[in-house]
Amino acid sequence: MGDEPLVLGIETSCDETGVGLVRGTTLLADTVASSVDEHARFGGVVPEVASRAHLEAMVPTIERACAEAGVRLDDVTAIAVTSGPGLTGALLVGVAAAKALSIALATPLYGVNHLAAHVAVDQLEHGPLPQPCIALLVSGGHSSLLLVEDVTSRVIPLGATIDDAAGEAFDKVARLLGMPFPGGPHIDSSARDGEPAYVDFPRGLTSGRDLQRHRFDFSFSGLKTAVARWVEARERDGEPVPVADVAASFQEAVCDVLTRKAVDACRSHGLDTLLIGGGVAANSRLRAMAQERAAAAKLRVRVPRPALCTDNGAMVAALGAELVARCREPSELDLPADSSMPVTTVVA
Ligand code: KG4
Ligand code: ZN
């Protein structure tokens, strides 16, 4: 095992400075420093604040990861870093650090796609991923359905959100229900005491021409507005807002659309494995509904544990390790930080 490549993964696309160490397919360390508290009062991630936080956290986070793994930096045989998509300034910090380390340690460097990394991480927990498979990636920054033919080289986008990301909708609705940022976990726990059928909120792009034109796309901004209108009407009438019921009904609408379209994608491509990743994959109702619907359609669902669903360095190291194992070409040292890197580009 000591002979297997030791890959360092660096993730800085949003507000988490993530550093992971993977040897072969074994996770040795997954260290995350989050600047989420610094963004809370703004109700969303402030790019400039995130970049500065990455700069301060980078070296200490790398040191913590090495200590956790019981390795030294010069044991590292390859480096992987998120090249995009994400916030430009935030990505730049990780990419610059990775380039410096790659030169200092004389190791190959892989600039990788953040979405492909969200897919690859599951292999650390559940073993080799059957490919092709369908991946549903849902977070504060992205909501995509992907056809993963080969996570190291061929990832095909089937659909994505045409407005808000799923996590963004959770965060905005949480805010209007008076919950702190990030709101997803608060909606999740509040919804446990609520009635999911209390309000029949709209399911975007699920019927008629919308569905035909956007079969695998998502839209959550109409749902967010519907919740806002419903709450406003209650307040106007001087009636109390049943927060848990609204949270449960909103969550039900999001999970219904996500799982319905994900199962449809599996069926229409004749695939039996659905992988779910991204921060929203931590949602308890999404997990339960995905399992129920997948079982009914004879599909298998794979969801990494919550710490591997949210942004982290282990996912980048996992993809890097897979690229090394498959003898893929590393990136050039002039690799960019590409805020809108397409998912079809796995390595920059
Ligand atoms: O993947 P992530 O850590 O960062 C990116 O946005 O890329 O995802 C964070 C998002 C936030 O919008 C947060 O509210 C949401 O994931 N989230 C959840 C839950 N836990 C985190 N949404 C719903 N239910 C949860 N339990
Ligand atoms: Zn992410």
Side-chain angles (χ1 to χ4, degrees):
M1 175 171 152
D3 297 339
E4 285 183 292
L6 176 64
V7 181
L8 173 76
I10 297 178
E11 153 64 36
T12 63
S13 68
C14 191
D15 59 341
E16 263 99 27
T17 312
V19 178
L21 281 158
V22 167
R23 195 189 294 280
T25 53
T26 306
L27 177 60
L28 302 183
D30 180 22
T31 310
V32 175
S34 175
S35 60
V36 67
D37 294 343
E38 297 176 50
H39 308 287
R41 69 194 169 101
F42 302 106
V45 176
V46 182
E48 187 80 359
V49 173
S51 307
R52 284 165 192 263
H54 287 309
L55 195 59
E56 288 165 16
M58 182 57 66
V59 172
T61 310
I62 292 172
E63 285 171 348
R64 272 169 52 214
C66 286
E68 194 182 316
V71 302
R72 292 166 5 143
L73 251 189
D74 51 17
D75 298 330
V76 167
T77 50
I79 298 171
V81 61
T82 302
S83 185
L87 304 170
T88 302
L91 289 166
L92 279 171
V93 178
V95 170
K99 287 184 183 185
L101 283 170
S102 159
I103 294 169
L105 302 171
T107 56
L109 173 63
Y110 295 84
V112 302
N113 189 295
H114 179 84
L115 300 185
H118 267 305
V119 175
V121 73
D122 186 61
Q123 307 204 107
L124 298 177
E125 196 174 353
H126 298 122
L129 180 68
Q131 294 170 60
C133 67
I134 297 292
L136 170 68
L137 297 184
V138 273
S139 78
H142 36 79
S143 297
S144 307
L145 262 174
L146 308 173
L147 168 58
V148 181
E149 292 195 344
D150 176 338
V151 74
T152 63
S153 63
R154 214 169 141 71
V155 181
I156 298 155
L158 300 178
T161 180
I162 61 167
D163 41 58
D164 293 348
E168 202 179 346
F170 268 97
D171 295 338
K172 287 176 175 171
V173 167
R175 191 174 193 184
L176 68 93
L177 293 176
M179 299 167 182
F181 174 84
H186 298 281
I187 298 236
D188 195 347
S189 59
S190 169
R192 281 180 203 153
D193 305 319
E195 168 50 61
Y198 193 83
V199 191
D200 186 18
F201 285 126
R203 272 68 168 158
L205 309 182
T206 56
S207 60
R209 281 184 58 128
D210 279 349
L211 178 60
Q212 270 174 15
R213 248 191 287 155
H214 294 282
R215 182 166 175 190
F216 300 125
D217 290 325
F218 304 105
S219 166
F220 297 111
S221 98
L223 169 60
K224 172 202 66 194
T225 308
V227 177
R229 296 257 158 79
W230 196 92
V231 169
E232 277 158 26
R234 269 289 170 124
E235 285 168 345
R236 212 178 308 120
D237 295 345
E239 291 187 41
V241 176
V243 170
D245 294 323
V246 175
S249 303
F250 158 77
Q251 178 173 273
E252 195 71 7
V254 175
C255 297
D256 180 18
V257 177
L258 291 175
T259 55
R260 219 193 287 186
K261 293 204 175 209
V263 168
D264 183 29
C266 289
R267 279 196 165 146
S268 73
H269 288 82
L271 300 175
D272 66 359
T273 302
L274 170 64
L275 180 128
I276 309 181
V280 180
N283 184 266
S284 59
R285 183 65 183 131
L286 180 62
R287 286 171 172 250
M289 199 188 277
Q291 294 291 358
E292 263 165 45
R293 291 186 172 177
K298 298 202 169 19
L299 308 175
R300 267 174 315 195
V301 181
R302 297 183 31 147
V303 195
R305 60 178 179 266
L308 295 181
C309 282
T310 49
D311 290 348
N312 63 80
M315 66 191 219
V316 181
L319 179 54
E322 185 74 13
L323 290 162
V324 171
R326 304 278 294 278
C327 301
R328 301 281 183 218
E329 276 294 300
S331 308
E332 301 290 338
L333 267 183
D334 63 353
L335 81 100
D338 180 356
S339 63
S340 53
M341 186 175 185
V343 70
T344 45
T345 305
V346 175
V347 183

PDB file of all heavy atoms in Angstrom, residues 177-210:
ATOM      1  N   LEU A 177     -38.122  32.396   6.019  1.00  0.00           N
ATOM      2  CA  LEU A 177     -38.780  31.793   7.190  1.00  0.00           C
ATOM      3  C   LEU A 177     -38.045  32.157   8.484  1.00  0.00           C
ATOM      4  O   LEU A 177     -38.356  31.637   9.556  1.00  0.00           O
ATOM      5  CB  LEU A 177     -38.837  30.266   7.036  1.00  0.00           C
ATOM      6  CG  LEU A 177     -39.745  29.733   5.910  1.00  0.00           C
ATOM      7  CD1 LEU A 177     -39.634  28.206   5.810  1.00  0.00           C
ATOM      8  CD2 LEU A 177     -41.204  30.139   6.124  1.00  0.00           C
ATOM      9  N   GLY A 178     -37.038  33.059   8.348  1.00  0.00           N
ATOM     10  CA  GLY A 178     -36.335  33.553   9.540  1.00  0.00           C
ATOM     11  C   GLY A 178     -35.256  32.625  10.062  1.00  0.00           C
ATOM     12  O   GLY A 178     -34.870  32.699  11.229  1.00  0.00           O
ATOM     13  N   MET A 179     -34.755  31.740   9.201  1.00  0.00           N
ATOM     14  CA  MET A 179     -33.692  30.811   9.646  1.00  0.00           C
ATOM     15  C   MET A 179     -32.329  31.323   9.201  1.00  0.00           C
ATOM     16  O   MET A 179     -32.224  32.003   8.188  1.00  0.00           O
ATOM     17  CB  MET A 179     -33.921  29.427   9.030  1.00  0.00           C
ATOM     18  CG  MET A 179     -35.237  28.795   9.420  1.00  0.00           C
ATOM     19  SD  MET A 179     -35.557  27.372   8.346  1.00  0.00           S
ATOM     20  CE  MET A 179     -37.153  26.845   8.958  1.00  0.00           C
ATOM     21  N   PRO A 180     -31.262  30.968   9.939  1.00  0.00           N
ATOM     22  CA  PRO A 180     -29.924  31.452   9.576  1.00  0.00           C
ATOM     23  C   PRO A 180     -29.358  30.782   8.317  1.00  0.00           C
ATOM     24  O   PRO A 180     -29.841  29.730   7.893  1.00  0.00           O
ATOM     25  CB  PRO A 180     -29.062  31.092  10.793  1.00  0.00           C
ATOM     26  CG  PRO A 180     -29.884  30.274  11.696  1.00  0.00           C
ATOM     27  CD  PRO A 180     -31.270  30.155  11.160  1.00  0.00           C
ATOM     28  N   PHE A 181     -28.302  31.419   7.751  1.00  0.00           N
ATOM     29  CA  PHE A 181     -27.604  30.897   6.576  1.00  0.00           C
ATOM     30  C   PHE A 181     -26.482  29.964   7.015  1.00  0.00           C
ATOM     31  O   PHE A 181     -25.810  30.272   7.995  1.00  0.00           O
ATOM     32  CB  PHE A 181     -27.021  32.069   5.776  1.00  0.00           C
ATOM     33  CG  PHE A 181     -26.149  31.646   4.618  1.00  0.00           C
ATOM     34  CD1 PHE A 181     -26.719  31.320   3.396  1.00  0.00           C
ATOM     35  CD2 PHE A 181     -24.763  31.565   4.766  1.00  0.00           C
ATOM     36  CE1 PHE A 181     -25.917  30.921   2.337  1.00  0.00           C
ATOM     37  CE2 PHE A 181     -23.964  31.166   3.701  1.00  0.00           C
ATOM     38  CZ  PHE A 181     -24.546  30.846   2.493  1.00  0.00           C
ATOM     39  N   PRO A 182     -26.206  28.878   6.333  1.00  0.00           N
ATOM     40  CA  PRO A 182     -26.967  28.319   5.217  1.00  0.00           C
ATOM     41  C   PRO A 182     -28.214  27.589   5.714  1.00  0.00           C
ATOM     42  O   PRO A 182     -28.163  26.867   6.702  1.00  0.00           O
ATOM     43  CB  PRO A 182     -25.976  27.355   4.566  1.00  0.00           C
ATOM     44  CG  PRO A 182     -25.020  26.973   5.649  1.00  0.00           C
ATOM     45  CD  PRO A 182     -24.993  28.091   6.642  1.00  0.00           C
ATOM     46  N   GLY A 183     -29.304  27.802   5.008  1.00  0.00           N
ATOM     47  CA  GLY A 183     -30.605  27.403   5.526  1.00  0.00           C
ATOM     48  C   GLY A 183     -30.997  25.948   5.331  1.00  0.00           C
ATOM     49  O   GLY A 183     -31.919  25.457   5.998  1.00  0.00           O
ATOM     50  N   GLY A 184     -30.311  25.237   4.405  1.00  0.00           N
ATOM     51  CA  GLY A 184     -30.699  23.859   4.095  1.00  0.00           C
ATOM     52  C   GLY A 184     -30.889  22.975   5.320  1.00  0.00           C
ATOM     53  O   GLY A 184     -31.960  22.379   5.499  1.00  0.00           O
ATOM     54  N   PRO A 185     -29.885  22.901   6.186  1.00  0.00           N
ATOM     55  CA  PRO A 185     -30.012  22.027   7.355  1.00  0.00           C
ATOM     56  C   PRO A 185     -31.168  22.465   8.284  1.00  0.00           C
ATOM     57  O   PRO A 185     -31.803  21.613   8.913  1.00  0.00           O
ATOM     58  CB  PRO A 185     -28.669  22.186   8.078  1.00  0.00           C
ATOM     59  CG  PRO A 185     -27.716  22.669   7.028  1.00  0.00           C
ATOM     60  CD  PRO A 185     -28.527  23.473   6.062  1.00  0.00           C
ATOM     61  N   HIS A 186     -31.457  23.773   8.349  1.00  0.00           N
ATOM     62  CA  HIS A 186     -32.539  24.256   9.213  1.00  0.00           C
ATOM     63  C   HIS A 186     -33.904  23.862   8.648  1.00  0.00           C
ATOM     64  O   HIS A 186     -34.811  23.476   9.390  1.00  0.00           O
ATOM     65  CB  HIS A 186     -32.453  25.774   9.392  1.00  0.00           C
ATOM     66  CG  HIS A 186     -31.178  26.200  10.052  1.00  0.00           C
ATOM     67  ND1 HIS A 186     -30.981  26.101  11.408  1.00  0.00           N
ATOM     68  CD2 HIS A 186     -30.020  26.678   9.534  1.00  0.00           C
ATOM     69  CE1 HIS A 186     -29.750  26.506  11.698  1.00  0.00           C
ATOM     70  NE2 HIS A 186     -29.155  26.871  10.573  1.00  0.00           N
ATOM     71  N   ILE A 187     -34.043  23.987   7.323  1.00  0.00           N
ATOM     72  CA  ILE A 187     -35.302  23.550   6.696  1.00  0.00           C
ATOM     73  C   ILE A 187     -35.480  22.053   6.932  1.00  0.00           C
ATOM     74  O   ILE A 187     -36.570  21.583   7.281  1.00  0.00           O
ATOM     75  CB  ILE A 187     -35.274  23.834   5.174  1.00  0.00           C
ATOM     76  CG1 ILE A 187     -35.137  25.328   4.928  1.00  0.00           C
ATOM     77  CG2 ILE A 187     -36.482  23.196   4.481  1.00  0.00           C
ATOM     78  CD1 ILE A 187     -36.168  25.977   4.085  1.00  0.00           C
ATOM     79  N   ASP A 188     -34.410  21.319   6.739  1.00  0.00           N
ATOM     80  CA  ASP A 188     -34.446  19.864   6.899  1.00  0.00           C
ATOM     81  C   ASP A 188     -34.963  19.499   8.294  1.00  0.00           C
ATOM     82  O   ASP A 188     -35.893  18.683   8.440  1.00  0.00           O
ATOM     83  CB  ASP A 188     -33.008  19.335   6.691  1.00  0.00           C
ATOM     84  CG  ASP A 188     -32.941  17.831   6.474  1.00  0.00           C
ATOM     85  OD1 ASP A 188     -33.945  17.148   6.727  1.00  0.00           O
ATOM     86  OD2 ASP A 188     -31.879  17.334   6.061  1.00  0.00           O
ATOM     87  N   SER A 189     -34.393  20.131   9.334  1.00  0.00           N
ATOM     88  CA  SER A 189     -34.827  19.721  10.677  1.00  0.00           C
ATOM     89  C   SER A 189     -36.208  20.259  11.010  1.00  0.00           C
ATOM     90  O   SER A 189     -37.025  19.553  11.624  1.00  0.00           O
ATOM     91  CB  SER A 189     -33.793  20.088  11.740  1.00  0.00           C
ATOM     92  OG  SER A 189     -33.584  21.455  11.735  1.00  0.00           O
ATOM     93  N   SER A 190     -36.528  21.481  10.563  1.00  0.00           N
ATOM     94  CA  SER A 190     -37.862  22.024  10.836  1.00  0.00           C
ATOM     95  C   SER A 190     -38.940  21.182  10.143  1.00  0.00           C
ATOM     96  O   SER A 190     -40.009  20.912  10.704  1.00  0.00           O
ATOM     97  CB  SER A 190     -37.922  23.474  10.340  1.00  0.00           C
ATOM     98  OG  SER A 190     -39.231  23.955  10.356  1.00  0.00           O
ATOM     99  N   ALA A 191     -38.624  20.722   8.924  1.00  0.00           N
ATOM    100  CA  ALA A 191     -39.602  19.966   8.125  1.00  0.00           C
ATOM    101  C   ALA A 191     -40.008  18.652   8.793  1.00  0.00           C
ATOM    102  O   ALA A 191     -41.079  18.108   8.506  1.00  0.00           O
ATOM    103  CB  ALA A 191     -39.031  19.696   6.738  1.00  0.00           C
ATOM    104  N   ARG A 192     -39.154  18.157   9.676  1.00  0.00           N
ATOM    105  CA  ARG A 192     -39.484  16.888  10.361  1.00  0.00           C
ATOM    106  C   ARG A 192     -40.748  17.002  11.185  1.00  0.00           C
ATOM    107  O   ARG A 192     -41.438  16.012  11.420  1.00  0.00           O
ATOM    108  CB  ARG A 192     -38.325  16.461  11.261  1.00  0.00           C
ATOM    109  CG  ARG A 192     -37.260  15.823  10.424  1.00  0.00           C
ATOM    110  CD  ARG A 192     -36.054  15.347  11.171  1.00  0.00           C
ATOM    111  NE  ARG A 192     -35.006  15.308  10.138  1.00  0.00           N
ATOM    112  CZ  ARG A 192     -33.729  15.449  10.339  1.00  0.00           C
ATOM    113  NH1 ARG A 192     -33.276  15.596  11.537  1.00  0.00           N
ATOM    114  NH2 ARG A 192     -32.897  15.431   9.341  1.00  0.00           N
ATOM    115  N   ASP A 193     -41.063  18.226  11.647  1.00  0.00           N
ATOM    116  CA  ASP A 193     -42.289  18.420  12.446  1.00  0.00           C
ATOM    117  C   ASP A 193     -43.421  18.972  11.583  1.00  0.00           C
ATOM    118  O   ASP A 193     -44.442  19.407  12.116  1.00  0.00           O
ATOM    119  CB  ASP A 193     -42.025  19.432  13.583  1.00  0.00           C
ATOM    120  CG  ASP A 193     -40.859  19.012  14.438  1.00  0.00           C
ATOM    121  OD1 ASP A 193     -40.765  17.806  14.717  1.00  0.00           O
ATOM    122  OD2 ASP A 193     -40.039  19.887  14.806  1.00  0.00           O
ATOM    123  N   GLY A 194     -43.236  19.012  10.264  1.00  0.00           N
ATOM    124  CA  GLY A 194     -44.253  19.625   9.407  1.00  0.00           C
ATOM    125  C   GLY A 194     -44.979  18.623   8.536  1.00  0.00           C
ATOM    126  O   GLY A 194     -44.620  17.451   8.463  1.00  0.00           O
ATOM    127  N   GLU A 195     -46.016  19.144   7.864  1.00  0.00           N
ATOM    128  CA  GLU A 195     -46.861  18.324   6.988  1.00  0.00           C
ATOM    129  C   GLU A 195     -46.480  18.629   5.529  1.00  0.00           C
ATOM    130  O   GLU A 195     -46.752  19.725   5.039  1.00  0.00           O
ATOM    131  CB  GLU A 195     -48.322  18.704   7.278  1.00  0.00           C
ATOM    132  CG  GLU A 195     -49.348  18.192   6.294  1.00  0.00           C
ATOM    133  CD  GLU A 195     -49.208  16.697   6.029  1.00  0.00           C
ATOM    134  OE1 GLU A 195     -49.335  15.918   6.987  1.00  0.00           O
ATOM    135  OE2 GLU A 195     -48.957  16.334   4.869  1.00  0.00           O
ATOM    136  N   PRO A 196     -45.866  17.652   4.832  1.00  0.00           N
ATOM    137  CA  PRO A 196     -45.387  17.922   3.470  1.00  0.00           C
ATOM    138  C   PRO A 196     -46.493  18.244   2.464  1.00  0.00           C
ATOM    139  O   PRO A 196     -46.223  18.847   1.420  1.00  0.00           O
ATOM    140  CB  PRO A 196     -44.662  16.633   3.071  1.00  0.00           C
ATOM    141  CG  PRO A 196     -44.785  15.685   4.192  1.00  0.00           C
ATOM    142  CD  PRO A 196     -45.501  16.317   5.327  1.00  0.00           C
ATOM    143  N   ALA A 197     -47.735  17.856   2.789  1.00  0.00           N
ATOM    144  CA  ALA A 197     -48.837  18.136   1.848  1.00  0.00           C
ATOM    145  C   ALA A 197     -49.627  19.377   2.267  1.00  0.00           C
ATOM    146  O   ALA A 197     -50.702  19.665   1.730  1.00  0.00           O
ATOM    147  CB  ALA A 197     -49.761  16.923   1.760  1.00  0.00           C
ATOM    148  N   TYR A 198     -49.099  20.151   3.216  1.00  0.00           N
ATOM    149  CA  TYR A 198     -49.833  21.311   3.744  1.00  0.00           C
ATOM    150  C   TYR A 198     -50.096  22.342   2.642  1.00  0.00           C
ATOM    151  O   TYR A 198     -51.191  22.869   2.515  1.00  0.00           O
ATOM    152  CB  TYR A 198     -49.024  21.938   4.880  1.00  0.00           C
ATOM    153  CG  TYR A 198     -49.793  22.929   5.706  1.00  0.00           C
ATOM    154  CD1 TYR A 198     -50.622  22.510   6.746  1.00  0.00           C
ATOM    155  CD2 TYR A 198     -49.694  24.303   5.463  1.00  0.00           C
ATOM    156  CE1 TYR A 198     -51.321  23.409   7.520  1.00  0.00           C
ATOM    157  CE2 TYR A 198     -50.395  25.216   6.229  1.00  0.00           C
ATOM    158  CZ  TYR A 198     -51.203  24.766   7.257  1.00  0.00           C
ATOM    159  OH  TYR A 198     -51.908  25.666   8.015  1.00  0.00           O
ATOM    160  N   VAL A 199     -49.065  22.643   1.855  1.00  0.00           N
ATOM    161  CA  VAL A 199     -49.238  23.535   0.700  1.00  0.00           C
ATOM    162  C   VAL A 199     -48.725  22.789  -0.534  1.00  0.00           C
ATOM    163  O   VAL A 199     -47.645  22.201  -0.494  1.00  0.00           O
ATOM    164  CB  VAL A 199     -48.404  24.838   0.823  1.00  0.00           C
ATOM    165  CG1 VAL A 199     -48.818  25.839  -0.260  1.00  0.00           C
ATOM    166  CG2 VAL A 199     -48.512  25.459   2.194  1.00  0.00           C
ATOM    167  N   ASP A 200     -49.504  22.836  -1.600  1.00  0.00           N
ATOM    168  CA  ASP A 200     -49.097  22.156  -2.830  1.00  0.00           C
ATOM    169  C   ASP A 200     -48.291  23.138  -3.691  1.00  0.00           C
ATOM    170  O   ASP A 200     -48.818  23.734  -4.617  1.00  0.00           O
ATOM    171  CB  ASP A 200     -50.352  21.658  -3.566  1.00  0.00           C
ATOM    172  CG  ASP A 200     -49.988  20.822  -4.784  1.00  0.00           C
ATOM    173  OD1 ASP A 200     -48.823  20.350  -4.850  1.00  0.00           O
ATOM    174  OD2 ASP A 200     -50.845  20.647  -5.663  1.00  0.00           O
ATOM    175  N   PHE A 201     -47.022  23.296  -3.357  1.00  0.00           N
ATOM    176  CA  PHE A 201     -46.184  24.253  -4.086  1.00  0.00           C
ATOM    177  C   PHE A 201     -45.863  23.726  -5.491  1.00  0.00           C
ATOM    178  O   PHE A 201     -45.861  22.518  -5.717  1.00  0.00           O
ATOM    179  CB  PHE A 201     -44.892  24.518  -3.305  1.00  0.00           C
ATOM    180  CG  PHE A 201     -45.073  25.403  -2.103  1.00  0.00           C
ATOM    181  CD1 PHE A 201     -44.648  24.984  -0.842  1.00  0.00           C
ATOM    182  CD2 PHE A 201     -45.680  26.651  -2.225  1.00  0.00           C
ATOM    183  CE1 PHE A 201     -44.814  25.803   0.273  1.00  0.00           C
ATOM    184  CE2 PHE A 201     -45.851  27.474  -1.114  1.00  0.00           C
ATOM    185  CZ  PHE A 201     -45.422  27.043   0.131  1.00  0.00           C
ATOM    186  N   PRO A 202     -45.578  24.653  -6.447  1.00  0.00           N
ATOM    187  CA  PRO A 202     -45.349  24.237  -7.839  1.00  0.00           C
ATOM    188  C   PRO A 202     -44.080  23.408  -8.030  1.00  0.00           C
ATOM    189  O   PRO A 202     -43.093  23.611  -7.320  1.00  0.00           O
ATOM    190  CB  PRO A 202     -45.229  25.567  -8.592  1.00  0.00           C
ATOM    191  CG  PRO A 202     -44.869  26.580  -7.573  1.00  0.00           C
ATOM    192  CD  PRO A 202     -45.475  26.118  -6.282  1.00  0.00           C
ATOM    193  N   ARG A 203     -44.161  22.477  -8.964  1.00  0.00           N
ATOM    194  CA  ARG A 203     -43.018  21.651  -9.349  1.00  0.00           C
ATOM    195  C   ARG A 203     -42.561  22.152 -10.727  1.00  0.00           C
ATOM    196  O   ARG A 203     -43.200  21.825 -11.738  1.00  0.00           O
ATOM    197  CB  ARG A 203     -43.417  20.183  -9.477  1.00  0.00           C
ATOM    198  CG  ARG A 203     -43.327  19.347  -8.198  1.00  0.00           C
ATOM    199  CD  ARG A 203     -44.322  19.703  -7.141  1.00  0.00           C
ATOM    200  NE  ARG A 203     -44.361  18.679  -6.091  1.00  0.00           N
ATOM    201  CZ  ARG A 203     -44.792  18.871  -4.870  1.00  0.00           C
ATOM    202  NH1 ARG A 203     -45.237  20.059  -4.488  1.00  0.00           N
ATOM    203  NH2 ARG A 203     -44.804  17.891  -4.000  1.00  0.00           N
ATOM    204  N   GLY A 204     -41.463  22.920 -10.755  1.00  0.00           N
ATOM    205  CA  GLY A 204     -41.018  23.559 -12.008  1.00  0.00           C
ATOM    206  C   GLY A 204     -40.590  22.561 -13.078  1.00  0.00           C
ATOM    207  O   GLY A 204     -39.967  21.535 -12.783  1.00  0.00           O
ATOM    208  N   LEU A 205     -40.942  22.863 -14.322  1.00  0.00           N
ATOM    209  CA  LEU A 205     -40.512  22.103 -15.507  1.00  0.00           C
ATOM    210  C   LEU A 205     -40.869  20.622 -15.443  1.00  0.00           C
ATOM    211  O   LEU A 205     -40.077  19.766 -15.839  1.00  0.00           O
ATOM    212  CB  LEU A 205     -38.991  22.261 -15.738  1.00  0.00           C
ATOM    213  CG  LEU A 205     -38.423  23.686 -15.764  1.00  0.00           C
ATOM    214  CD1 LEU A 205     -36.921  23.659 -16.047  1.00  0.00           C
ATOM    215  CD2 LEU A 205     -39.125  24.546 -16.812  1.00  0.00           C
ATOM    216  N   THR A 206     -42.068  20.316 -14.912  1.00  0.00           N
ATOM    217  CA  THR A 206     -42.443  18.896 -14.812  1.00  0.00           C
ATOM    218  C   THR A 206     -43.686  18.541 -15.623  1.00  0.00           C
ATOM    219  O   THR A 206     -44.172  17.421 -15.532  1.00  0.00           O
ATOM    220  CB  THR A 206     -42.702  18.483 -13.349  1.00  0.00           C
ATOM    221  OG1 THR A 206     -43.697  19.350 -12.795  1.00  0.00           O
ATOM    222  CG2 THR A 206     -41.449  18.526 -12.513  1.00  0.00           C
ATOM    223  N   SER A 207     -44.223  19.514 -16.387  1.00  0.00           N
ATOM    224  CA  SER A 207     -45.399  19.134 -17.167  1.00  0.00           C
ATOM    225  C   SER A 207     -45.469  19.904 -18.487  1.00  0.00           C
ATOM    226  O   SER A 207     -44.811  20.946 -18.660  1.00  0.00           O
ATOM    227  CB  SER A 207     -46.679  19.374 -16.353  1.00  0.00           C
ATOM    228  OG  SER A 207     -46.767  20.735 -16.029  1.00  0.00           O
ATOM    229  N   GLY A 208     -46.250  19.341 -19.397  1.00  0.00           N
ATOM    230  CA  GLY A 208     -46.534  19.986 -20.682  1.00  0.00           C
ATOM    231  C   GLY A 208     -45.291  20.328 -21.480  1.00  0.00           C
ATOM    232  O   GLY A 208     -44.317  19.577 -21.514  1.00  0.00           O
ATOM    233  N   ARG A 209     -45.346  21.512 -22.097  1.00  0.00           N
ATOM    234  CA  ARG A 209     -44.244  21.926 -22.980  1.00  0.00           C
ATOM    235  C   ARG A 209     -42.942  22.166 -22.220  1.00  0.00           C
ATOM    236  O   ARG A 209     -41.858  21.928 -22.728  1.00  0.00           O
ATOM    237  CB  ARG A 209     -44.640  23.220 -23.711  1.00  0.00           C
ATOM    238  CG  ARG A 209     -45.570  22.961 -24.875  1.00  0.00           C
ATOM    239  CD  ARG A 209     -45.820  24.253 -25.583  1.00  0.00           C
ATOM    240  NE  ARG A 209     -44.542  24.835 -26.046  1.00  0.00           N
ATOM    241  CZ  ARG A 209     -44.328  25.209 -27.284  1.00  0.00           C
ATOM    242  NH1 ARG A 209     -45.275  25.085 -28.183  1.00  0.00           N
ATOM    243  NH2 ARG A 209     -43.187  25.738 -27.643  1.00  0.00           N
ATOM    244  N   ASP A 210     -43.081  22.658 -20.974  1.00  0.00           N
ATOM    245  CA  ASP A 210     -41.882  22.878 -20.149  1.00  0.00           C
ATOM    246  C   ASP A 210     -41.105  21.572 -19.996  1.00  0.00           C
ATOM    247  O   ASP A 210     -39.879  21.541 -20.100  1.00  0.00           O
ATOM    248  CB  ASP A 210     -42.284  23.344 -18.733  1.00  0.00           C
ATOM    249  CG  ASP A 210     -42.587  24.827 -18.707  1.00  0.00           C
ATOM    250  OD1 ASP A 210     -42.295  25.503 -19.708  1.00  0.00           O
ATOM    251  OD2 ASP A 210     -43.131  25.276 -17.681  1.00  0.00           O
TER     252      ASP A 210
END
